[in-house]
Amino acid sequence: MADKDHQNQTIIIGAGIVGSSLAYFLSQSSPETNILVLDRSISDIVGSTGYAPGFIGQYNEKPSLTKLAIDSVKEYTKLNTGFSRVGGLELASTDAGIKTLQSRLDASEKAGLPARLLDETEIVKLELPIAGSNAGTAALFFPDDGVAEPKVLCSAYRSMASENGVRFQEASVSEIVMAGDAVTGVRLESGEIVSCSKLVLATGIWTASLLRKSSDIPSVPVVPVSHPYIYSRVRDHEVSPTPFMRWPESHVYARDHGARYGVGTYDHAPQHVSSPGHTATVPWQDELFNPAVTRAIANRFSADAGFTKHPPFGAEKIGGVFSVTPDNIPLLGPVAGVEGLWMAVAIWVTHAAGCARLLEKMILGEAYDEAIARDLHPGRFEGRSGEELEVTALKQYNDIYSTDC
């Protein structure tokens, strides 16, 4: 490739579901665009995409996130792989919790998302892997929600992008190269400099560490945190697909992975991962995770769900890592004061394709939803101290499944 072509190319750092879907959308809408996607691992998906549980619940008390989730589901259903519309359940057993479900039902209907409340009898008919008679329990059912296989979705976007001429290269970026206030390329760990006119950071949990090496670029409050997720033993019998389940009052969620169940919990003190490693995982932290998972499992699941009440709880346990922000909203859009630099970070699979579509329109200068773009703008925290923003972001961890309306 000629040097001039290198200078005019768009580089995306990060080949997870956000970077890969963005590469596909850009190559689809603007075939002449020169696109290179760089990632430390192309052969294996080692970022948060590779370990995400894959829950796709579309309604959120933040309207922007609801719209991005709806847009994402529209995109995922076009792929005919990696997404199953099995529905989603929010369960509550207290008067306050059930009242909140009613409020969320009203709000979701106003947002155009179908939902209905289920009583104890209707919950039993779903044949969920949960314990007890469900006495006093109600559930809010979202029939259009579902579960994703994030690696499958990511691989599909990579394949389609490659067919459109996008190049994927396995390489680690050590530094962003600038001339004045403009991005001109990236320096790889090998020392090679690759030129570009536009650079998109889809770097997830590694965003802060990359920006620390680039003093001319303002830091952003993207805080990596650890999170426990466990898988049950593989079932020795087939079961019908069931909706994913969330217990917002307990900060617990669960889904059927086909041959086994998975459970995660936010019911523990948030743990900042200051220096993420090669993968979006950390060693299992017994003192932090075991009590939280014990509470999540206790009296919640039936015996045939395949969990045990005590460690190791099931067949596999993962200390995953993902990013939080001070308002639990992604950072997406141009970076103020740095020409040619764009950001798409702290994005869940739930919102990934919707965010990628939005950023594609922004990069290509097409019409886009400006209200959502303002909500997600990377510079919205300007003027606040990094220490304050980190503390605020960590507090958001336990409110990820908040159902306040």
Side-chain angles (χ1 to χ4, degrees):
M1 181 184 295
D3 185 60
K4 182 179 179 181
D5 291 335
H6 273 297
Q7 292 173 352
N8 291 330
Q9 75 180 337
T10 295
I11 292 179
I12 300 171
I13 307 177
I17 190 169
V18 176
S20 296
S21 59
L22 176 61
Y24 169 63
F25 295 149
L26 283 171
S27 65
Q28 181 188 44
S29 299
S30 181
E32 70 279 3
T33 302
N34 229 339
I35 303 171
L36 172 65
V37 182
L38 301 172
D39 196 288
R40 64 182 63 203
S41 176
I42 298 295
S43 56
D44 193 16
I45 301 174
V46 300
S48 297
T49 298
Y51 303 95
F55 291 71
I56 310 291
Q58 295 172 86
Y59 176 72
N60 192 290
E61 62 270 17
K62 300 178 177 72
S64 292
L65 294 186
T66 298
K67 179 62 166 59
L68 290 168
I70 292 172
D71 290 346
S72 295
V73 168
K74 287 180 181 177
E75 295 296 338
Y76 297 152
T77 54
K78 294 177 184 178
L79 300 178
N80 295 316
T81 185
F83 176 74
S84 301
R85 204 185 289 269
V86 296
L89 284 175
E90 294 178 1
L91 296 103
S93 56
T94 67
D95 289 343
I98 294 172
K99 183 178 180 181
T100 297
L101 294 186
Q102 180 63 60
S103 297
R104 284 175 63 80
L105 170 63
D106 298 339
S108 64
E109 289 177 341
K110 290 179 182 178
L113 289 170
R116 61 188 180 94
L117 283 173
L118 306 183
D119 60 22
E120 177 187 348
T121 301
E122 292 172 300
I123 294 172
V124 171
K125 289 180 180 179
L126 292 174
E127 299 183 350
L128 303 170
I130 56 179
S133 63
N134 301 303
T137 296
L140 181 57
F141 178 56
F142 295 91
D144 286 353
D145 286 352
V147 292
E149 306 307 327
K151 286 186 175 183
V152 174
L153 294 174
C154 185
S155 296
Y157 281 123
R158 286 186 185 182
S159 177
M160 293 187 298
S162 296
E163 290 176 1
N164 288 347
V166 174
R167 291 163 294 123
F168 288 80
Q169 179 181 337
E170 191 163 289
S172 293
V173 175
S174 63
E175 184 183 1
I176 298 170
V177 179
M178 297 182 61
D181 294 331
V183 166
T184 59
V186 297
R187 187 188 306 276
L188 307 183
E189 287 190 353
S190 64
E192 177 187 359
I193 294 179
V194 184
S195 300
C196 66
S197 58
K198 293 185 179 71
L199 176 65
V200 181
L201 304 184
T203 39
I205 64 172
W206 294 283
T207 302
S209 57
L210 176 61
L211 293 182
R212 280 196 294 268
K213 302 173 185 176
S214 306
S215 58
D216 294 330
I217 301 174
S219 62
V220 292
V222 179
V223 181
V225 291
S226 58
H227 178 68
Y229 194 79
I230 61 170
Y231 290 94
S232 70
R233 299 186 303 273
V234 174
R235 293 191 294 267
D236 58 5
H237 60 284
E238 292 187 5
V239 299
S240 300
T242 56
F244 71 75
M245 297 167 284
R246 299 193 303 178
W247 291 266
E249 295 170 301
S250 307
H251 305 285
V252 175
Y253 62 98
R255 67 161 285 192
D256 185 352
H257 285 276
R260 55 184 180 169
Y261 295 107
V263 173
T265 176
Y266 296 94
D267 184 26
H268 63 88
Q271 186 69 37
H272 182 198
V273 180
S274 57
S275 298
H278 180 71
T279 69
T281 60
V282 293
W284 186 266
Q285 302 168 70
D286 286 345
E287 291 186 5
L288 183 67
F289 292 160
N290 284 354
V293 175
T294 298
R295 290 190 295 272
I297 296 291
N299 302 317
R300 196 179 304 274
F301 297 97
S302 57
D304 62 358
F307 296 109
T308 59
K309 295 181 180 179
H310 306 288
F313 304 112
E316 183 181 3
K317 52 188 181 181
I318 295 174
V321 182
F322 64 89
S323 300
V324 292
T325 65
D327 55 8
N328 266 344
I329 296 177
L331 302 179
L332 183 128
V335 176
V338 184
E339 183 181 345
L341 182 61
W342 305 77
M343 189 169 290
V345 298
I347 300 171
W348 286 30
V349 176
T350 304
H351 312 108
C355 282
R357 271 296 186 196
L358 175 59
L359 188 57
E360 168 231 344
K361 296 179 185 300
M362 296 170 72
I363 291 174
L364 296 180
E366 299 177 357
Y368 60 88
D369 191 318
E370 295 184 10
I372 294 180
R374 283 193 297 272
D375 287 346
L376 275 61
H377 194 278
R380 65 185 182 272
F381 302 108
E382 186 177 355
R384 297 170 61 181
S385 73
E387 182 177 347
E388 175 207 350
L389 289 170
E390 180 180 311
V391 170
T392 304
L394 289 173
K395 288 180 179 178
Q396 298 297 317
Y397 177 83
N398 300 116
D399 292 330
I400 281 173
Y401 275 158
S402 169
T403 55
D404 295 337
C405 292

